[in-house]
Amino acid sequence: MDVDTLLTTTRSVRRKLDLDRPVEPEAITECLRIAIQAPAAGALLSSIRWLVIRDQATRQAVAAHVREPARISQARYGHLVSPAVLASGQHLVEVLDRVPVFVLAAMIGSPGAEGPSANAFYGSVYPAIWSFQLALRSRGLGTTITAYHLNGHEADVAALLDIPDDVTQVALLPVAYLTTNDFRPAARPSVESITYYERWECTAH
Ligand SMILES: Cc1cc2nc3c(=O)[nH]c(=O)nc-3n(C[C@H](O)[C@H](O)[C@H](O)COP(=O)(O)O)c2cc1C
């Protein structure tokens, strides 16, 4: 797959995940090895951590902490996305514990007050998360960033997984093989409508 196709067709996959096909541990390690080449703000590069969860009972326990905040979030904000995206989000939450691998992206420390700015903190892990998604896709695997449990259930998941208090969880990525390779560029605003030249809101150049 050429690079532009990879970059424009790597989607958030919720329905087209193969829940029955095991994912080799080496595939995850390979993708993470690629992901950690992403940029980060200076010293924050060393704050990134990944927690790979394969054990079924642990995935079930994590999924239980995701479902309640997910349902609340989907009820509250579901109208902001298309019915298809909402339904696919609901589907992922329903089958979550059957997705063979969870990868939790985390950062040692926390943003704000004494620590780094939120911009530097989260901006130091999201490039790696995206690279992880791209590396997965190039190997026929897929995922979706989920953040539901961070609303009120981060501590439950931390307790379950022995995550220390000084660690901030950033995203839970359920990973599986894809059941199709038929992904396309998504609808997005036109570049022309959101790109300004020389002065704010000057779209002409
Ligand atoms: C910070 C962040 C948080 C997200 N949280 C969720 C989530 O909790 N559940 C979910 O289904 N998708 C989540 N997504 C995925 C977005 O819904 C998705 O990227 C968006 O719908 C665009 O679809 P695409 O990625 O297929 O282009 C998240 C994405 C980002 C960047």
Side-chain angles (χ1 to χ4, degrees):
M1 186 187 303
D2 70 86
V3 174
D4 286 0
T5 303
L6 178 72
L7 289 169
T8 55
T9 66
T10 300
R11 301 265 70 81
S12 300
V13 187
R14 306 178 185 91
R15 283 189 188 281
K16 296 170 181 167
L17 298 172
D18 191 334
L19 303 177
D20 300 314
R21 180 170 168 191
V23 175
E24 309 81 355
E26 304 76 37
I28 301 294
T29 307
E30 255 180 49
C31 293
L32 291 176
R33 213 183 297 288
I34 290 167
I36 61 173
Q37 293 294 325
L44 291 173
L45 193 59
S46 59
S47 301
I48 301 172
R49 293 292 182 275
W50 308 94
L51 180 51
V52 180
I53 304 156
R54 307 179 64 85
D55 176 70
Q56 190 182 10
T58 309
R59 281 184 285 117
Q60 278 171 345
V62 170
H65 290 302
V66 170
R67 287 203 176 98
E68 187 200 332
R71 286 177 185 137
I72 293 170
S73 162
Q74 287 163 344
R76 194 171 292 162
Y77 304 111
H79 65 285
L80 299 176
V81 298
S82 71
V85 169
L86 175 60
S88 119
Q90 289 166 331
H91 171 79
L92 177 62
V93 170
E94 287 315 309
V95 301
L96 190 60
D97 54 297
R98 295 176 51 207
V99 182
V101 185
F102 293 173
V103 176
L104 182 69
M107 291 282 283
I108 295 176
S110 56
E114 305 298 306
S117 68
N119 175 51
F121 190 81
Y122 291 105
S124 290
V125 60
Y126 263 108
I129 291 172
W130 176 234
S131 287
F132 180 60
Q133 291 183 262
L134 294 171
L136 289 171
R137 161 100 164 107
S138 75
R139 287 160 178 74
L141 292 144
T143 190
T144 287
I145 295 169
T146 75
Y148 301 117
H149 79 278
L150 304 181
N151 290 318
H153 291 258
E154 183 174 355
D156 298 316
V157 171
L160 183 70
L161 304 175
D162 297 336
I163 298 173
D165 288 348
D166 69 336
V167 170
T168 301
Q169 298 171 50
V170 177
L172 181 73
L173 299 142
V175 178
Y177 273 99
L178 299 165
T179 56
T180 175
N181 200 25
D182 184 24
F183 296 98
R184 291 156 203 232
R188 293 286 196 262
S190 73
V191 169
E192 289 74 14
S193 70
I194 60 168
T195 307
Y196 305 145
Y197 296 91
E198 311 303 341
R199 293 287 185 280
W200 192 250
E201 290 192 348
C202 284
T203 52
H205 67 104

